[in-house]
Amino acid sequence: MSGYFGAGTRAPESELEIIMSDMPSCQFESRPRRIVIGSGGVQADFCTNCSVRPTSVCSVIEPSDISRLAEVAVETIISPGRGFIEEGAPATDFFNVTSGTVKLFKALPDGRRQITGFAAPGHFLGLAVSDSYAFGAEAIDTVRVCRFSREKMSELLDDFPKLERRLLEEASNELVAAQNQMLLLGRKTARERVASFLLDQMQAGLLPGQPPPSGGRLHLPMTRGDIADYLGLTIETVSRTLSWMRSQGMIEVGKGYAITIVSTAKLEVLAAGNS
Amino acid sequence: MSGYFGAGTRAPESELEIIMSDMPSCQFESRPRRIVIGSGGVQADFCTNCSVRPTSVCSVIEPSDISRLAEVAVETIISPGRGFIEEGAPATDFFNVTSGTVKLFKALPDGRRQITGFAAPGHFLGLAVSDSYAFGAEAIDTVRVCRFSREKMSELLDDFPKLERRLLEEASNELVAAQNQMLLLGRKTARERVASFLLDQMQAGLLPGQPPPSGGRLHLPMTRGDIADYLGLTIETVSRTLSWMRSQGMIEVGKGYAITIVSTAKLEVLAAGNS
DNA sequence: TCACCGCATTGATTTACATCAACCCATCCG
DNA sequence: CGGATGGGTTGATGTAAATCAATGCGGTGA
């Protein structure tokens, strides 16, 4: 029991780093290649102007203390498909997503994969952690994160008790979501799962800094394969279920990643478990 | 965003209360009947002598401050089969299990149920909470819990910052467990699920104050139905899988609730996903 | 330009698990 | 004592979703 925000090992990093998707395929590196631009933490006004601060854990830091936050945050850009947390690797850093979408997952030795969640802007990564990461993380589209070393995070927690309570709140929310997902995975049918997913995505789109999805128009950044791995289904079943929902007048499936929710009511009936 | 340990509504309660299983069937009451014995919080030395304190969140309270803890804790005895947290009800109290086993679950309107976890002695209940409980809880065998009102808990957190960090650690552990369970429910076969479950139960038995299960001898307090609801299977599949494991020389199935693990290695191969 | 690749859709077939059903064996209780 | 009840096992059958397979489509790069 070494403490959840104990000593870290990584040295202080520089202002802006970019993790490139430069490998032929999506090979994983536990310590991704970085391109450093500038040095010495983000600019003092960076956090002040941050678009996700109002909805993120950082919101509990008073404006007068913002410089403390900016000192320890390292902004990082991660290109699509690039992994930046490896399941089982030593947990040296925590992250806060500022733009883009991240998929979080666990895998079995033979390659079966379960996506445990999608992290949108404002989401804090690193709660499900002991000494090593309990999950992997990969950028779906271009992602920006603020990175905090474990030791800097620990200092912040010592100095700002409110931050700790806010993280507890965040953990609480994640636990509620996790339990909902267990119910979905253990007891819901394929149709119920997809309906629940679409409603959740709609709900999620209403809250953060993202452009609000008007008229039920969703832009899902993830592939069918990701949705399948999230819902415990196969690609084919997700595809068939979406087609069936279209045939029932519940949704419209646009080209690419667009899905329009036509009848929230019908989906809610489905998601609640009536068929 | 009302804060996770905000104002509660319940009045201070008395020393020892007993929640009886006095209904013909297992009817649920959101406010269970109590039999009060004595009054005014538990005795001062109660927490000092508590068998689960070393492994519970209470361990972070210094011996000199133990009286503060004892003042706000209300010991409660819950008889087998009795529910004491109702999913969706206002979250007025938090609990710490001191003996027995609790099942935590979520349900769909049509009765399908997913057990999200079993809480053994030392386990803290109430992290997956917003203003209302996100889960239900029911005693499997005779259960003792320490109950804390939300507002008393909030005061404790203000006075003992270590407690907050310890709760965060607890939440972190639960998140890790939840993600493992998502992988199990979404991607593992029935055999893999049962194998994982047995190994987890063995692991859990090694840690807390419970009698250590020597020689792989497990005493599972829950029914096949509970195991099925935990693993996202049916009773019949659980039973058949256990029979199959017996036929393979992996386990021995005793009468009642006893199961002996004969070959940890074989189970581990199974649980990891090799068949 | 065309070949290739990742992603998606749809159809045919298989299968792991659920469902339906019968039965055993305790315990409880009138 | 005897019927009811709850938990457990095992067998026969059904089915939702997985698997196998073919096709289309839009980007990308030689």
Side-chain angles (χ1 to χ4, degrees):
Chain A
M1 215 143 288
S2 65
Y4 273 92
F5 293 94
T9 56
R10 189 198 275 270
E13 287 292 352
S14 38
E15 179 180 324
L16 177 62
E17 56 181 23
I18 302 178
I19 300 176
M20 301 292 286
S21 180
D22 54 353
M23 308 295 280
S25 171
C26 173
Q27 285 293 332
F28 203 97
E29 298 172 318
S30 65
R31 186 66 68 95
R33 173 181 151 206
R34 284 184 296 278
I35 296 180
V36 174
I37 302 178
S39 71
V42 301
Q43 294 166 355
D45 64 351
F46 180 78
C47 291
T48 311
N49 299 332
C50 176
S51 62
V52 304
R53 196 166 78 90
T55 60
S56 81
V57 294
C58 305
S59 62
V60 300
I61 308 286
E62 303 296 332
S64 56
D65 293 321
I66 271 297
S67 63
R68 280 292 313 278
L69 194 59
E71 275 167 23
V72 302
V74 179
E75 200 193 20
T76 306
I77 299 177
I78 304 152
S79 43
R82 171 59 92 181
F84 64 102
I85 294 179
E86 187 188 14
E87 185 182 350
T92 56
D93 296 283
F94 301 102
F95 302 87
N96 210 5
V97 181
T98 56
S99 76
T101 305
V102 173
K103 54 183 167 189
L104 311 172
F105 54 87
K106 291 182 70 75
L108 290 169
D110 65 0
R112 279 175 285 171
R113 211 173 53 149
Q114 179 65 36
I115 291 182
T116 56
F118 297 105
H123 199 105
F124 183 82
L125 302 182
L127 291 167
V129 151
S130 53
D131 286 327
S132 52
Y133 296 113
F135 56 88
E138 187 179 311
I140 289 179
D141 43 19
T142 297
V143 165
R144 283 168 175 266
V145 296
C146 275
R147 183 163 62 73
F148 306 87
S149 78
R150 198 187 178 108
E151 56 187 353
K152 299 278 188 182
M153 192 74 199
S154 184
E155 289 168 19
L156 277 184
L157 287 174
D158 290 336
D159 296 348
F160 303 104
K162 278 185 177 176
L163 184 55
E164 201 144 51
R165 192 163 297 201
R166 185 60 171 78
L167 282 181
L168 192 52
E169 185 178 316
E170 192 84 358
S172 188
N173 290 336
E174 282 200 35
L175 273 172
V176 171
Q179 293 183 351
N180 282 328
Q181 195 68 3
M182 284 189 245
L183 176 61
L184 180 147
L185 293 170
R187 288 304 181 209
K188 288 189 181 178
T189 66
R191 287 173 183 182
E192 291 163 1
R193 292 181 201 202
V194 175
S196 301
F197 170 72
L198 291 176
L199 290 171
D200 284 351
Q201 286 299 118
M202 184 128 110
Q203 199 62 30
L206 295 177
L207 303 178
Q210 296 283 59
S214 61
R217 191 165 211 81
L218 292 178
H219 200 80
L220 305 176
M222 68 289 291
T223 67
R224 296 285 186 269
D226 289 336
I227 298 173
D229 280 347
Y230 181 58
L231 299 179
L233 301 170
T234 58
I235 293 179
E236 294 94 325
T237 298
V238 170
S239 183
R240 270 186 255 273
T241 305
L242 288 172
S243 297
W244 175 81
M245 287 176 170
R246 180 162 41 76
S247 78
Q248 300 295 305
M250 296 173 171
I251 62 172
E252 279 164 14
V253 182
K255 279 298 151 203
Y257 297 92
I259 287 186
T260 303
I261 296 187
V262 177
S263 170
T264 310
K266 283 183 185 172
L267 286 180
E268 279 168 348
V269 169
L270 248 190
N274 306 76
S275 162
Chain B
M1 215 145 293
S2 63
Y4 273 91
F5 293 96
T9 55
R10 189 198 276 269
E13 290 291 352
S14 38
E15 179 181 322
L16 176 61
E17 57 181 21
I18 302 178
I19 300 176
M20 301 292 286
S21 181
D22 54 353
M23 310 295 282
S25 171
C26 171
Q27 286 293 332
F28 202 99
E29 300 173 312
S30 64
R31 184 66 69 96
R33 174 180 149 206
R34 283 185 296 277
I35 296 179
V36 174
I37 303 177
S39 70
V42 299
Q43 296 165 352
D45 63 351
F46 179 80
C47 290
T48 310
N49 299 332
C50 177
S51 62
V52 303
R53 196 167 78 90
T55 59
S56 80
V57 294
C58 305
S59 62
V60 299
I61 308 285
E62 303 296 333
S64 57
D65 293 321
I66 272 295
S67 62
R68 279 293 313 279
L69 193 58
E71 275 167 24
V72 303
V74 180
E75 200 194 18
T76 306
I77 299 178
I78 304 153
S79 44
R82 172 58 91 179
F84 63 102
I85 294 178
E86 187 187 15
E87 185 183 348
T92 56
D93 296 283
F94 301 102
F95 302 86
N96 211 4
V97 181
T98 56
S99 78
T101 306
V102 173
K103 54 183 167 189
L104 311 172
F105 54 87
K106 293 183 67 76
L108 290 170
D110 66 1
R112 276 175 286 172
R113 212 172 54 148
Q114 178 65 36
I115 291 181
T116 56
F118 297 104
H123 199 104
F124 184 82
L125 302 182
L127 290 166
V129 151
S130 53
D131 286 327
S132 51
Y133 296 114
F135 57 88
E138 187 179 309
I140 290 179
D141 42 19
T142 297
V143 165
R144 282 168 176 265
V145 296
C146 275
R147 184 162 61 73
F148 307 87
S149 78
R150 197 186 179 109
E151 57 187 351
K152 299 277 187 184
M153 192 72 199
S154 184
E155 289 168 17
L156 277 184
L157 287 175
D158 289 337
D159 296 349
F160 303 104
K162 277 186 179 176
L163 185 54
E164 200 144 52
R165 194 164 293 200
R166 185 61 171 77
L167 282 180
L168 193 51
E169 185 177 315
E170 191 84 0
S172 188
N173 289 337
E174 283 201 34
L175 274 172
V176 172
Q179 291 181 354
N180 282 328
Q181 195 66 2
M182 285 190 246
L183 176 62
L184 180 148
L185 292 169
R187 290 301 179 212
K188 288 188 181 179
T189 67
R191 287 172 182 181
E192 291 162 2
R193 293 180 202 204
V194 175
S196 301
F197 170 72
L198 292 176
L199 291 171
D200 284 350
Q201 286 299 118
M202 182 129 111
Q203 198 61 31
L206 295 178
L207 303 179
Q210 297 284 62
S214 62
R217 192 166 211 78
L218 291 179
H219 200 79
L220 306 177
M222 67 292 287
T223 67
R224 297 283 187 270
D226 289 337
I227 298 174
D229 279 348
Y230 180 57
L231 298 179
L233 301 170
T234 59
I235 293 178
E236 294 93 327
T237 299
V238 170
S239 182
R240 270 186 254 272
T241 304
L242 288 173
S243 297
W244 176 82
M245 286 176 171
R246 180 164 40 76
S247 78
Q248 300 295 304
M250 298 173 172
I251 62 173
E252 280 164 15
V253 182
K255 279 298 153 201
Y257 297 92
I259 287 185
T260 303
I261 295 187
V262 177
S263 170
T264 309
K266 285 183 185 173
L267 286 180
E268 278 167 349
V269 169
L270 249 190
N274 306 74
S275 160

